[in-house]
Amino acid sequence: MSDGLEDVVAAHTVLSEVDGAAGRLVMRGHSLDALAGHTSFEEMAALMLDGFVPNLPREKQLQVALGEARKELFETIVRREAVPATLSPVEMVRAMTALIPDGEGAGVVLKLLAAPAVFTPGALRLRRGLDPVAPDPSLSQAADTLRMLTGTAPTPQQAAALDTYLVTVADHGLNASTFAARVVASTRAGLVSAVLAGISALKGPLHGGAPGPVIEMLDVIGAPADARAWLEAALDRGDRLMGFGHRIYRVRDPRADALKGAIRRLGADAGRLALAEAVEQAALAILRERKPNRTLETNVEFYTALLLEALGFTPDSFTCVFALGRTTGWLAHAHEQIAGGKLIRPQSVYVGPRPRQAA
Ligand code: ACO
């Protein structure tokens, strides 16, 4: 028995390798450095799903097919009456995704890859009482997501920054949401169900729900000089510092630097970045003092928060954007699991009371 399945190996995968000691991430034979900033969402999806989905369009045709999928989803699902706008953005995206008929095959894959790109901006605008912006199928998925969010075409730099983010988070070994997606895929419930399991696991604050609270932390701290006192008080209350610590990495999460590079290239607010860097340094110093036996370093979520904020997403929608990137990984893992053919069904050790023996 291993609490939290720590150190348990539960799959062979060709999809990604997380080297927690060296701080290295490899996806389908390519290092994160070679992919982030050099690859589009579409190219990454094609790379991850290569060999798993017969009839999935390739290269330029994939961008066209994703554009058509966005259009179809917008026309059939993104309506004021589809789901209550009182839900949080990630709950709205999950509820809209659940309206896609379940199944397997290239058609469902395309819809699921396109779904968070259409549903996230749609949900955010519906919650504000605005009309959703229809997709432009001629654009790349990253550019169109930003366009549907703001109503105006993004700059090439903004679209490139979102591509960098989506590629950086596309896959990450057997993380909680990917494991959840594989469990559901192993029952052959369908790819929509597998992705819904992934979204549900992702939204928790110990996984993909962390970056929203990072923004709250930066806003409350306000100035670099106030960082240490706030962080000390948070730890005194027993809170965890969001954006720090990881189950696998014992060194800095390599994705943090990939995203920090994207923030710099975007030319985002220098004062905001300086505040974040000051908070990061203070947090790392305090965590070293307080938890000398556990290496707690910056994880992907810390700079995710800054990058997505700079691109105009609200903190309550960051998890939806994470889902947009990670759906690629969930779908690839679901196919790998289905190809293996084995139902995931571990055992538990019963430690409750035993029935009384008859006298
Ligand atoms: N702040 C303060 N203390 C922490 C933190 C943190 N961020 N992370 C871990 N610790 C402490 C724990 O309190 C525990 O201390 P103890 O041994 O004195 O009780 C020790 O470090 C080990 O913690 P575990 O929970 O056993 O470590 P685990 O590997 O299960 O946790 C996790 C990993 C959940 C990511 C954790 O580090 C955390 O909660 N971080 C904050 C939330 C966060 O940033 N999540 C995003 C992760 S990245 C991703 O999922 C995409």
Side-chain angles (χ1 to χ4, degrees):
M1 214 309 263
S2 170
D3 225 4
L5 300 184
E6 192 157 5
D7 297 326
V8 171
V9 175
H12 284 120
T13 183
V14 298
L15 297 169
S16 62
E17 181 185 57
V18 183
D19 182 339
R24 270 199 298 266
L25 170 60
V26 169
M27 290 184 266
R28 295 220 82 171
H30 303 268
S31 72
L32 176 63
D33 289 349
L35 293 168
H38 309 285
T39 313
S40 67
F41 172 86
E42 286 82 355
E43 288 165 341
M44 192 65 191
L47 176 70
M48 294 302 293
L49 293 166
D50 186 35
F52 286 114
V53 189
N55 306 324
L56 188 71
R58 302 175 71 90
E59 298 175 3
K60 191 69 189 165
Q61 283 312 308
L62 179 59
Q63 180 172 323
V64 172
L66 282 173
E68 284 163 7
R70 289 196 300 278
K71 188 165 174 289
E72 186 185 334
L73 291 173
F74 182 83
E75 287 167 359
T76 55
I77 295 183
V78 184
R79 287 185 314 277
R80 206 165 291 283
E81 62 279 11
V83 299
T86 46
L87 296 175
S88 70
V90 70
E91 288 166 338
M92 284 181 79
V93 168
R94 183 175 58 183
M96 290 181 184
T97 305
L99 297 175
I100 302 172
D102 218 336
E104 295 175 6
V108 186
V109 166
L110 286 168
K111 282 194 191 127
L112 288 167
L113 288 171
V118 187
F119 297 160
T120 304
L124 289 177
R125 291 181 72 92
L126 287 172
R127 289 177 93 247
R128 285 185 217 133
L130 300 172
D131 285 333
V133 175
D136 177 348
S138 71
L139 294 180
S140 74
Q141 180 130 309
D144 205 17
T145 304
L146 293 171
R147 194 189 131 275
M148 287 186 275
L149 182 72
T150 62
T152 49
T155 64
Q157 291 76 14
Q158 288 168 326
L162 183 56
D163 265 328
T164 300
Y165 172 71
L166 299 175
V167 166
T168 298
V169 301
D171 197 37
H172 205 241
L174 215 51
N175 60 87
S177 58
T178 299
F179 185 56
R182 281 188 83 126
V183 170
V184 173
S186 84
T187 73
R188 303 301 298 269
L191 298 173
V192 176
S193 297
V195 166
L196 287 169
I199 297 173
S200 300
L202 187 73
K203 80 189 258 294
L206 299 192
H207 190 13
V214 169
I215 293 295
E216 284 164 30
M217 172 172 76
L218 295 179
D219 286 345
V220 178
I221 291 174
D226 297 328
R228 194 169 179 103
W230 189 92
L231 294 165
E232 296 269 19
L235 289 175
D236 288 343
R237 286 195 302 273
D239 292 353
R240 288 181 177 213
L241 303 182
M242 293 293 131
F244 298 91
H246 199 272
R247 173 62 64 80
I248 307 292
Y249 290 121
R250 289 295 160 259
V251 293
R252 190 179 171 82
D253 184 335
R255 299 170 298 174
D257 287 327
L259 298 184
K260 199 168 165 183
I263 295 166
R264 288 226 167 87
R265 285 195 294 280
L266 190 59
D269 182 347
R272 190 71 166 158
L273 182 56
L275 171 64
E277 285 176 329
V279 171
E280 181 188 14
Q281 290 316 314
L284 292 174
I286 296 167
L287 287 170
R288 262 179 228 124
E289 291 160 22
R290 298 252 187 148
K291 306 276 176 194
N293 300 325
R294 179 89 176 185
T295 315
L296 296 170
E297 291 285 338
T298 314
N299 68 43
V300 65
E301 302 288 47
F302 192 76
Y303 286 105
T304 288
L306 249 67
L307 182 57
L308 297 187
E309 179 185 57
L311 287 173
F313 292 99
T314 51
D316 60 2
S317 69
F318 290 169
T319 309
C320 308
V321 193
F322 195 160
L324 173 54
R326 186 55 61 84
T327 299
T328 301
W330 293 333
L331 287 171
H333 276 272
H335 282 89
E336 193 176 53
Q337 185 64 43
I338 290 168
K342 191 93 177 160
L343 174 77
I344 297 179
R345 204 293 184 198
Q347 292 203 44
S348 50
V349 176
Y350 179 69
V351 294
R354 300 265 160 211
R356 287 196 185 175
Q357 298 289 344

